[in-house]
Amino acid sequence: MTMNKLFDGVVIFTQVVKSGGFSAAAEALGHSTSYVSKEVNKLESRLGVRLLNRTTRSIGLTPEGQAYHQQCLQLVQDAEQAVQLITQHDVSPKGHLKISSPVGFANNYLRPILSQYMLNYPNVNLELDLNDRRVDVISEGYDLVIRASQNLDESSLICRKIYSCKAYTVATPEYLSKHGRPYHPQELAKHNCLCYSNLKLPTRWHYSDKQGKSFFVDVRQKVLCNSGEMEFAMTLDGLGICRLPEFYLQDTLETGQLEILFPEYPTIDIDVFVVYPSRKHLSPKVRAFIDLVVERLPN
């Protein structure tokens, strides 16, 4: 066993024993049950022994687990006392804060918030990844990520909605003049459409009819792209029809550079979430950032 993994899973293991099960430990720690179970399995694998006997209704310590638990319990208690000595004297945000955010949202909303945060907390160093790709919060070491989605499915992470906006189907007046204006979403099957590859089904666009009933349109893909910023730029260049969150579009809609299609149909909501590994014992740097984002965002 490498020394850098010596304590991995120890806190989770002791919490499972204390709580009497994986589900109760997951609730206490702010993780999912599957995450807690996997961490204990990895700990057992590294040690080469079974620590817990599991049934569908209960858990119990093996003889090896009993001996290991006693030592781990003392380690955790000693660590908690050490943390208390530090936090009693210094709770100001400090250290390295690693964040990922979609490019368009960062440019239009997050930039002044980040600047204010850095001015408020000069002892924090910021690592900012502006990228539309779906990052792995845990394995890539992010403190938090910001994601815009119609349906967020991060079951093992903590998700807090911080912003909501509309998504519009748009095109330039020049494109509409050249190719004709579609009056029903089904007509998109005959148009050049710019599709967002980070979605599970990039060419299947969701709409609601005038009575509020959902339906889907399989559009004709002209461009497939993983960047909302690039989609926005190509749409402005008249290459086709695109559907984008409102935070990309406000200025161009006001100036008439882009026109909204199907205005009589209900718009789709896009929610923006801050996503982080655990709600329990948030570090001051993360908690301060989330509080500032909630305070400063428009809605």
Side-chain angles (χ1 to χ4, degrees):
M1 184 192 310
T2 58
M3 294 299 291
N4 64 335
K5 292 185 177 181
L6 186 62
F7 297 101
D8 287 4
V10 167
V11 173
I12 290 178
F13 167 65
T14 58
Q15 185 64 52
V16 169
V17 176
K18 178 180 179 181
S19 301
F22 291 92
S23 297
E27 183 175 355
L29 293 167
H31 289 301
S32 67
T33 303
S34 62
Y35 176 82
V36 169
S37 179
K38 288 177 182 177
E39 288 300 300
V40 173
N41 288 339
K42 287 193 288 186
L43 176 61
E44 290 178 325
S45 178
R46 287 201 313 275
L47 295 172
V49 297
R50 178 175 288 276
L51 300 173
L52 297 170
N53 290 317
R54 305 160 174 81
T55 69
T56 56
R57 295 186 178 181
S58 64
I59 62 161
L61 286 165
T62 65
E64 295 85 355
Q66 182 72 42
Y68 186 70
H69 177 255
Q70 291 300 319
Q71 298 299 319
C72 289
L73 196 60
Q74 186 61 53
L75 288 172
V76 172
Q77 291 172 350
D78 290 343
E80 288 175 344
Q81 291 178 3
V83 170
Q84 289 175 3
L85 288 174
I86 297 173
T87 56
Q88 286 174 356
H89 298 289
D90 187 2
V91 293
S92 62
K94 60 183 177 182
H96 187 84
L97 182 66
K98 186 176 181 180
I99 299 173
S100 177
S101 172
V103 180
F105 187 77
N107 288 339
N108 288 283
Y109 289 105
L110 201 59
R111 182 193 54 75
I113 296 174
L114 288 166
S115 296
Q116 185 63 57
Y117 179 85
M118 298 303 293
L119 291 171
N120 290 352
Y121 308 110
N123 292 324
V124 174
N125 296 319
L126 177 66
E127 181 179 347
L128 182 61
D129 173 39
L130 300 185
N131 202 309
D132 287 357
R133 71 181 178 90
R134 181 178 291 274
V135 302
D136 189 316
V137 180
I138 302 296
S139 67
E140 296 184 50
Y142 285 96
D143 293 296
L144 58 91
V145 305
I146 293 174
R147 288 180 178 159
S149 175
Q150 188 178 339
N151 295 293
L152 195 66
D153 55 357
E154 296 291 347
S155 58
S156 64
L157 302 173
I158 309 303
C159 308
R160 179 176 178 179
K161 187 166 76 170
I162 57 173
Y163 183 76
S164 185
C165 66
K166 303 296 183 182
Y168 294 109
T169 306
V170 295
T172 61
E174 292 77 15
Y175 173 87
L176 298 175
S177 176
K178 182 177 180 180
H179 297 275
R181 176 185 293 270
Y183 290 95
H184 190 282
Q186 294 290 357
E187 296 178 52
L188 293 174
K190 302 177 182 179
H191 280 268
N192 298 330
C193 292
L194 284 64
C195 302
Y196 187 54
S197 63
N198 286 329
L199 298 176
K200 290 182 179 179
L201 297 172
T203 61
R204 178 161 290 185
W205 294 4
H206 175 225
Y207 289 92
S208 296
D209 64 22
K210 298 173 185 178
Q211 288 73 45
K213 184 179 179 180
S214 294
F215 65 96
F216 293 90
V217 176
D218 292 318
V219 304
R220 186 174 72 183
Q221 173 192 301
K222 183 67 172 178
V223 175
L224 183 64
C225 181
N226 68 350
S227 167
E229 284 278 300
M230 183 60 72
E231 282 188 290
F232 174 61
M234 288 184 169
T235 305
L236 279 177
D237 289 337
L239 297 182
I241 296 172
C242 191
R243 190 167 64 171
L244 288 165
E246 188 178 16
F247 56 75
Y248 281 105
L249 303 171
Q250 185 172 358
D251 293 340
T252 53
L253 294 177
E254 292 175 354
T255 60
Q257 292 173 275
L258 292 174
E259 295 186 17
I260 295 174
L261 302 180
F262 322 124
E264 67 275 20
Y265 288 82
T267 54
I268 301 299
D269 288 328
I270 298 293
D271 294 323
V272 180
F273 299 85
V274 59
V275 182
Y276 49 99
S278 173
R279 67 166 57 92
K280 189 175 180 65
H281 300 316
L282 270 182
S283 66
K285 64 184 179 182
V286 174
R287 185 178 299 278
F289 181 80
I290 294 173
D291 289 345
L292 186 61
V293 167
V294 171
E295 175 188 334
R296 292 286 302 274
L297 281 178
N299 61 348

